[in-house]
Each structure stands twice: as structure tokens, then as C-alpha cells.
């Protein structure tokens, strides 16, 4: 009822002020994190299904705060709302290219680009500058975008994707299958890679695997490479290999780790 609504309003209002203050504090701390070197990248390897060889790494950002590591799921949305994502994203672009060239032996690297960052008019030139400064070949960089990026502004998204691919940078559609119109996006945009979301990969449902099968068939006809995300068991890996999946990423292969950990991983994983 109305009365109850009013009551709830007066009860929650002081708390809202408190939440707002907390958000502002967090935003300030995050702004400081960008300038104060509190951000760091972890890397997770992808392997080529057919050979088991290392195919590249995905860069995943972390915030080192008061001795602990904060996961991107807990701060990217705040950065996105406050606009800080552009500064954070730029740091990620430069650091990922530098690390790939200097610390990871020139390996291919993928970075995540959020919707607001994708709208930034300086994105393409930042990527170009990062590649030139690091000396990483353009074909060694892949950007990962989700459907939410494409929903924002279709035409602009098309332009940015075309510009990046024109430069030789690869573009991947991330979290494939979790949105509403994954298929229509495959039709409207050109991707070098699609990353099948782990909710499919980890499913026990036969129907879901039928969908995975059609994704593989479709991507073969489009000439798009398929990466399976969130591979945690040998059973999942075998199934994906049988379906013709190109690459796999997940805890089974390796959790994300530091550049040093990835160098150790790469040494071990070289086929005998
Ligand atoms: P994502 O792009 O889908 O990244 C994959 C996430 O799944 C990572 O979480 C990774 O650690 C986790 N993961 C990998 N293998 C497995 C597995 O076998 N099982 C399970 N359960 N999880 C696995 P993380 O690092 O916490 O990142 C979460 C999300 O934050 C990412 O999802 C991405 O959307 C976003 N993110 C990460 N780094 C960046 C960044 O530099 N910029 C932006 N804009 N977003 C980022
Ligand atoms: Ca990703
Ligand atoms: Ca993903
Ligand atoms: Ca995700």
C-alpha cells in the first residue's frame, strides 16, 4: 500500500546516503589505484585443442588494495558508471601489450573492453600507440567484447570493429550465448573468434550440448575460431575436442596467474 511505501522510503533514506558516500569513497580509491600503481594484470593461457600448445593469454585486471586482491567483478561496474573505466582500460591496453612483448615472449594476448570504454573516441588510437610502443605485432592482440557493447551503438560498434580489424587487430565476441541475440550479432558483425560461455561448457544438459554443436558448425562456415571458456574437467575438454572446438581456456588448463607463473607454465607445456 501507499502507507507502507512511504514508511519504507523514510526507513531506507538515511542508508541511501551512506551507500552513496561509500560509492564515492570507492570511486576515489579506484581513481588513486590507477595513478598509484595498485592495478595489476593476471594472465590465463588458452591452448590449441589439436596440439595442446599454448595459443595465447587473456589479460585479467586485479586491484591490489590493503594487501588483498579485488576481483574485476567487484570494481569494473563502479569504474564503468563513474567513467574511470577509460583510464583503467587504457592502463590495461598499454600494460597488456608491454607484458606480452617483454615478459611473455611475444605471445598473443587478449584484453577485455567494456561498453563505456568501447564508446571512447580515443580507443583505436590508444590501441595503435600501445602496439607501436611495445613492438607487439598487431595480429598478436585480440580485443574481447560482449554483446552489451554492440547493443549500445550499432553503427559506431561496426566502425570500431572495422577499424581494429583493418589494423590487423583481432576481435572476439565474449560470453557467447549468454545474451539475447548472439546469433544476429554473428550475422551483422565480423569476428575472428567467439568465446563460448562457461555456462554451456559446464552444462550436463544434452540440449545445451546440441547448441554447442550448432555453434561449432556455424563458426566453421563463417571461418571463425571458437574458444571454450571455463573448462574445468577432462570430460569437458574431450567433449569439446570431439565437437571440433579450436581452443580451450579454464582452470583445468591453468587458473590466471602472474607473468612469472605463466612463464613457468609455458616451459612445462612445451610438447616433448
Ligand atoms: P571474462 O572476460 O568472461 O573472463 C573470464 C573469467 O572467468 C575470469 O574471471 C577468469 O578468472 C574466470 N575463469 C577462467 N577459467 C575459469 C574456470 O575454469 N572456471 C570458472 N568458474 N571461472 C574461470 P575474472 O578474472 O574474475 O574476471 C571477471 C570478469 O571481469 C571478466 O569476465 C571480464 O568481463 C571482466 N574483466 C576482467 N579484466 C578486465 C579488464 O581488464 N577490463 C574490463 N573492462 N573487464 C575486465
Ligand atoms: Ca573475456
Ligand atoms: Ca567470457
Ligand atoms: Ca563474463
Amino acid at each position: 500500500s501507499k502507507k507502507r511505501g512511504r514508511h519504507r522510503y523514510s526507513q531506507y533514506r538515511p542508508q541511501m546516503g551512506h551507500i552513496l558516500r561509500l560509492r564515492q569513497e570507492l570511486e576515489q580509491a579506484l581513481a588513486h589505484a590507477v595513478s598509484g600503481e595498485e592495478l595489476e594484470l593476471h594472465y590465463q593461457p588458452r591452448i590449441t585443442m589439436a596440439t595442446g600448445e599454448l595459443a595465447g593469454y587473456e589479460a585479467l585486471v586485479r586491484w591490489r588494495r590493503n594487501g588483498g586482491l579485488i576481483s574485476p567483478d567487484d570494481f569494473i561496474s563502479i569504474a564503468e558508471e563513474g567513467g574511470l573505466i577509460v583510464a583503467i582500460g587504457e592502463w590495461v591496453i598499454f600494460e597488456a601489450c608491454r607484458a606480452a612483448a617483454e615478459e611473455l615472449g611475444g605471445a598473443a594476448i587478449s584484453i577485455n573492453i567494456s561498453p563505456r570504454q568501447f564508446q571512447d573516441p580515443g580507443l583505436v588510437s590508444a590501441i595503435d600507440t600501445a602496439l607501436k610502443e611495445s613492438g607487439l605485432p598487431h595480429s598478436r592482440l585480440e580485443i574481447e567484447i560482449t554483446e552489451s557493447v554492440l547493443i549500445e551503438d550499432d553503427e559506431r560498434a561496426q566502425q570500431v570493429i572495422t577499424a581494429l580489424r583493418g589494423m590487423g587487430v583481432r576481435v572476439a565476441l565474449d560470453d557467447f550465448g549468454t545474451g539475447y541475440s548472439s546469433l544476429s550479432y554473428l550475422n551483422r558483425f565480423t569476428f575472428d573468434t567467439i568465446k563460448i560461455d562457461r555456462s554451456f561448457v559446464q552444462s550436463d544438459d544434452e540440449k545445451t550440448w546440441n547448441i554447442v554443436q550448432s555453434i561449432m558448425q556455424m563458426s566453421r562456415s563463417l571461418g571463425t575460431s571458437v574458444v571454450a571458456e571455463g573448462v574445468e574437467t577432462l570430460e569437458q575438454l574431450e567433449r569439446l575436442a570431439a565437437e571440433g572446438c579450436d581452443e580451450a581456456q579454464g582452470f583445468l588448463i591453468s587458473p590466471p596467474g602472474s607473468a612469472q607463473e605463466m612463464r613457468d607454465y609455458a616451459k612445462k607445456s612445451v610438447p616433448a
Side-chain angles (χ1 to χ4, degrees), residues 58 112 144 174 195:
E58 177 174 4
N112 295 282
E144 299 189 2
D174 201 359
K195 299 190 79 171

Side-chain angles (χ1 to χ4, degrees), residues 58 112 144 146 173-176 195-198 229 249:
E58 177 174 4
N112 295 282
E144 299 189 2
T146 57
L173 184 55
D174 201 359
D175 300 349
F176 186 82
K195 299 190 79 171
I196 303 184
D197 192 71
R198 67 165 180 262
E229 296 194 278
Q249 181 180 344

